[in-house]
Amino acid sequence: MILLDDVTLTYPDGDARVTAVDHVTLEGRPGVVTGITGPSGSGKSSLLALAATLIRPDSGRVIVDGVDATGLDAAGRTALRRERIGIVFQQPQLLPSLTAREQLRVMAELGGRGRRERRAAVQGRVDELLDAVGLGELGDRRPAHLSGGQRQRVAIARALVHEPRVLLVDEPTSALDSARGATIMALIARLTRERQTATLLVTHDLVHGDALDETFVVTDGRVNVGESASRGGRGNTP
Ligand SMILES: Nc1ncnc2c1ncn2[C@@H]1O[C@H](COP(=O)(O)OP(=O)(O)OP(=O)(O)O)[C@@H](O)[C@H]1O
Ligand SMILES: [Mg+2]
């Protein structure tokens, strides 16, 4: 579960401050893909950065899996991210010198389960995830030898390797053609169900809206009640 509770975020802007997120309340629940959409500059990435505990809100609370991140110091927030949050950025941000399998293994070893896992257990989890994203055969390739869509799959698998409760995804399809984009969105929807992550997904267009269980529209930093569209059914409050 992830809850943004009445969060506001401002950035310095000369002598003044610009409000990027304005008293937003938004919840992501296990097994549900919550879409965040809206025009460029409306505050979508800022919302995601707040959810990721990468920036602190000026006011309001960010609750990750029951833990109030706003009460934690930087080290505490880093630990929280390592244990409970998976992040997929717009650009996959893979390490060029590592193979797909190694990208996941490094994350599994960094990602804190708070105990040393046996190498074989890590390897098993890594291989299972590569299979789950359809890259079982390509684990030995480096990013330069993968397509854009395949790199994005590696990034998704890497974000899940420490088994986070919360998955945050920013514009995963923007570098892909629409067919590949649809596949990535369907993949995220499937993994969200299978792994019961609370998934927040930012997208500036709703071409792939089918993969979203509900959608919040952000305008000028605000999520207006009533503008939140929903396709109903699973996960939504009746
Ligand atoms: N680091 C920063 N410093 C100052 N202002 C910023 C910073 N990051 C974002 N902003 C401003 O905050 C507002 C929201 O930006 P944000 O990146 O969250 O929008 P977005 O909805 O993700 O846009 P896009 O669809 O273009 O990615 C914008 O007015 C932007 O100019
Ligand atoms: Mg953005």
Side-chain angles (χ1 to χ4, degrees):
M1 185 277 286
I2 174 118
L3 173 66
L4 302 179
D5 179 20
D6 198 24
V7 288
T8 291
L9 175 69
T10 64
Y11 296 112
D13 180 26
D15 293 336
R17 300 189 73 84
V18 55
T19 301
V21 175
D22 194 0
H23 294 286
V24 166
T25 296
L26 185 157
E27 187 185 0
R29 297 183 300 285
V32 173
V33 183
T34 302
I36 299 170
T37 190
S40 180
S42 58
K44 304 182 296 297
S45 293
S46 299
L47 261 181
L48 217 62
L50 287 171
T53 76
L54 290 168
I55 18 179
R56 243 193 181 134
D58 296 39
S59 63
R61 296 183 310 157
V62 177
I63 314 283
V64 180
D65 205 19
V67 176
D68 185 351
T70 35
L72 300 175
D73 61 12
R77 281 180 283 140
T78 302
L80 183 72
R81 273 196 298 280
R82 281 190 183 160
E83 285 164 21
R84 303 186 201 224
I85 303 176
I87 309 177
V88 181
F89 296 99
Q90 183 168 348
Q91 301 299 328
Q93 305 202 349
L94 302 176
L95 298 164
S97 60
L98 299 187
T99 67
R101 184 171 288 113
E102 287 164 348
Q103 317 266 353
L104 269 66
R105 200 185 299 151
V106 163
M107 194 52 110
E109 279 162 14
L110 284 178
R113 301 195 137 194
R115 62 189 161 86
R116 288 182 84 86
E117 246 189 316
R118 279 177 44 238
R119 185 167 276 264
V122 171
Q123 195 55 56
R125 213 142 41 84
V126 163
D127 286 341
E128 185 215 324
L129 258 169
L130 284 174
D131 276 341
V133 300
L135 291 180
E137 307 294 308
L138 301 181
D140 294 327
R141 293 222 193 152
R142 295 192 167 78
H145 299 280
L146 294 168
S147 72
Q150 289 166 344
R151 282 179 216 157
Q152 197 56 280
R153 285 162 192 271
V154 175
I156 291 165
R158 184 180 59 177
L160 291 169
V161 80
H162 58 298
E163 302 185 323
R165 305 312 313 143
V166 173
L167 178 64
L168 306 173
V169 191
D170 198 353
E171 302 271 12
T173 63
S174 60
L176 306 176
D177 63 42
S178 62
R180 273 169 234 271
T183 311
I184 290 291
M185 292 289 280
L187 175 66
I188 291 167
R190 175 167 64 77
L191 292 169
T192 296
R193 309 284 179 261
E194 288 175 2
R195 291 167 192 263
Q196 287 292 302
T197 54
T199 301
L200 300 186
L201 187 148
V202 165
T203 178
H204 69 277
D205 69 55
L206 286 177
V207 177
H208 305 301
D210 280 3
L212 308 175
D213 294 305
E214 57 187 340
T215 307
F216 289 92
V217 181
V218 187
T219 316
D220 289 336
R222 290 197 194 157
V223 172
N224 293 314
V225 181
E227 263 196 291
S228 161
S230 164
R231 84 174 177 198
R234 177 191 48 244
N236 293 307
T237 40

